[in-house]
Amino acid sequence: MDFKKYFFSNGIRFECTQCGICCTGEPGTVYVTEDEIKKIADFLNIDEQKLKNEFLYPYKDSYSIKELENGDCIFYKDKSCTIYPVRPMQCKTYPFWLKNLRNEKKWKEVEKECPGIGKGKLYTAKEIIDLISKSPI
Ligand code: SF4
């Protein structure tokens, strides 16, 4: 495949600073698969039903994560993600979502919101496209 046609053909640097900007504020949905639910429940040492009842709500064919009234993700506490090692694929693939990389103008907007962009590891165009394809949104 020829990646030269993409504005990110030379790759993009990104390293999450866990600033929380993308997990707080405006409400949103975070798709969580049954497999991810099991991993999060194991990580929190609670059973899956308790996790679903207290932290999730039905969304599409699975679940999404509840938010506080101010829109913050229920798992974002004390300035960090409390389930970071087992966070859902939607979180793992941010900011490399199709809707963010659809064109350079949109990406410039995302760059302003996410301080991790431009720092750290250089993701190649192929790695970015792999992440886009893994993201549920
Ligand atoms: S906005 Fe960017 S740097 Fe901040 S938590 Fe989200 S992905 Fe990480």
Side-chain angles (χ1 to χ4, degrees), residues 85-111:
V86 289
R87 66 202 186 284
M89 185 57 78
Q90 184 175 324
C91 307
K92 278 183 185 159
T93 54
Y94 184 86
F96 300 119
W97 295 346
L98 180 61
K99 69 174 193 167
N100 292 343
L101 288 152
R102 203 173 277 282
N103 57 57
E104 197 166 3
K105 184 168 174 276
K106 176 64 192 166
W107 183 251
K108 293 277 177 211
E109 288 170 21
V110 179
E111 265 182 337

Side-chain angles (χ1 to χ4, degrees), residues 14-23 94 113-116:
F14 171 68
E15 184 174 294
C16 178
T17 66
Q18 291 207 49
C19 72
I21 290 171
C22 65
C23 347
Y94 184 86
E113 291 166 9
C114 171

Side-chain angles (χ1 to χ4, degrees), residues 8-15 96 116 118-128 131:
F8 52 85
S9 61
N10 292 328
I12 296 174
R13 286 195 185 279
F14 171 68
E15 184 174 294
F96 300 119
K119 298 195 174 97
K121 171 183 158 65
L122 179 67
Y123 286 78
T124 65
K126 183 178 182 318
E127 286 173 316
I128 291 167
L131 288 168

Side-chain angles (χ1 to χ4, degrees), residues 44-76:
L44 295 174
N45 208 18
I46 59 175
D47 70 48
E48 289 176 44
Q49 198 53 52
K50 184 176 167 70
L51 179 72
K52 288 175 181 173
N53 292 344
E54 294 186 15
F55 298 96
L56 309 178
Y57 62 91
Y59 174 62
K60 293 187 176 172
D61 59 350
S62 190
Y63 287 83
S64 179
I65 297 175
K66 284 183 183 171
E67 295 171 328
L68 304 178
E69 271 190 22
N70 63 5
D72 291 6
C73 175
I74 201 166
F75 291 122
Y76 190 76

